[in-house]
């Protein structure tokens, strides 16, 4: 199944390899062994979990998340991309003061058509209190936060509601507006959103994004 998953991704133009697949499989095996040793799940739940983990859709999703998450150095706060085709991140941000700075680094890693520089974040509009939104589907907000940057030398800035340490997905729509203004032929597309809090993005066509979502078992419409 793993080799078949590689073939399907390669047919879509993703440069995955057997080493990346082996890393994911080893991680899954280690986790499963720990669950078996500690008896954290009853046998029937453990079997269900293993079946879900063994599915091709979950395997491809985990592979792309691992491939696109990059490496974050907790000592220096530096993030390094590990893919130029997939960008993945946890929507609950660890480094909240550089939430959109890190996001823009991830965008830069997969969008060769632009150069993003001079990123500045302004948290002066963030308050100490969280206020519930009128919309029950919107998370509570603690004010607003702003980000400004240059894209291909052109200035852009956005003011977004702050959701504490949670990423505001409105930044994706804003970035696609920037890419369109810069004459980019492709757009950022969400291929997995909020599964285990993880967001997975590619920079490509709507058709390719739809085909990838199908492989991942995600049937939601393109939000971008």
């Amino acid at each position: 199944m793993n080799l078949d998953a590689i073939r399907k991704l390669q047919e879509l133009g993703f440069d995955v390899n057997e080493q990346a697949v082996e890393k994911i499989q080893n991680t899954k095996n280690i986790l499963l062994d720990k669950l078996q040793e500690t008896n954290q799940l009853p046998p029937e739940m453990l079997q269900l979990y293993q079946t879900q983990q063994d599915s091709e859709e979950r395997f491809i999703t985990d592979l792309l998340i691992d491939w696109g998450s990059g490496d974050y150095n907790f000592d220096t706060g530096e993030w390094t991309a590990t893919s130029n085709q997939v960008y993945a991140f946890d929507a609950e941000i660890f480094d909240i003061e550089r939430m959109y700075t890190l996001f823009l680094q991830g965008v830069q890693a997969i969008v060769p058509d632009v150069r993003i520089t001079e990123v500045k974040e302004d948290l002066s509009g963030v308050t100490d209190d969280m206020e519930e939104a009128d919309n029950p589907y919107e998370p509570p907000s603690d004010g607003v936060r702003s980000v400004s940057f240059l894209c291909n030398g052109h200035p852009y800035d956005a003011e977004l509601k702050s959701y504490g340490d949670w990423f505001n997905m409105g930044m994706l729509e804003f970035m696609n507006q920037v890419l369109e203004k810069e004459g980019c032929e492709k757009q950022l597309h969400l291929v997995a959103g909020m599964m285990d809090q993880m967001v997975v993005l590619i920079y490509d066509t709507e058709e390719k994004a739809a085909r990838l979502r199908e492989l991942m078992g995600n049937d939601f419409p393109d939000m971008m």
Side-chain angles (χ1 to χ4, degrees), residues 15 19-20 106 135 159 186 195 205:
D15 187 25
Q19 289 74 24
N135 183 346
E159 183 178 85
K186 301 175 182 178
M195 189 199 75
T205 63

Side-chain angles (χ1 to χ4, degrees), residues 40-111:
Q40 294 183 29
L41 295 176
E44 61 275 13
M45 292 297 294
L46 184 62
Q47 181 62 47
L48 177 61
Y49 174 81
Q50 185 173 5
T51 300
Q52 292 172 339
Q53 292 299 308
D54 287 342
S55 71
E56 185 172 270
E57 291 86 357
R58 180 72 196 211
F59 184 86
I60 290 175
T61 299
D62 288 345
L63 175 63
L64 294 178
I65 288 175
D66 185 77
W67 191 31
S69 291
D71 292 323
Y72 183 86
N73 188 316
F74 287 89
D75 294 326
T76 65
E78 296 299 317
W79 181 86
T80 304
T82 49
S83 171
N84 62 359
Q85 293 182 286
V86 181
Y87 172 44
F89 63 96
D90 191 329
E92 187 174 14
I93 308 297
F94 172 78
D95 191 347
I96 60 174
E97 293 186 355
R98 299 193 305 144
M99 181 179 294
Y100 298 116
T101 299
L102 293 172
F103 168 75
L104 290 171
Q105 289 179 12
V107 171
Q108 178 70 88
I110 63 173
V111 182

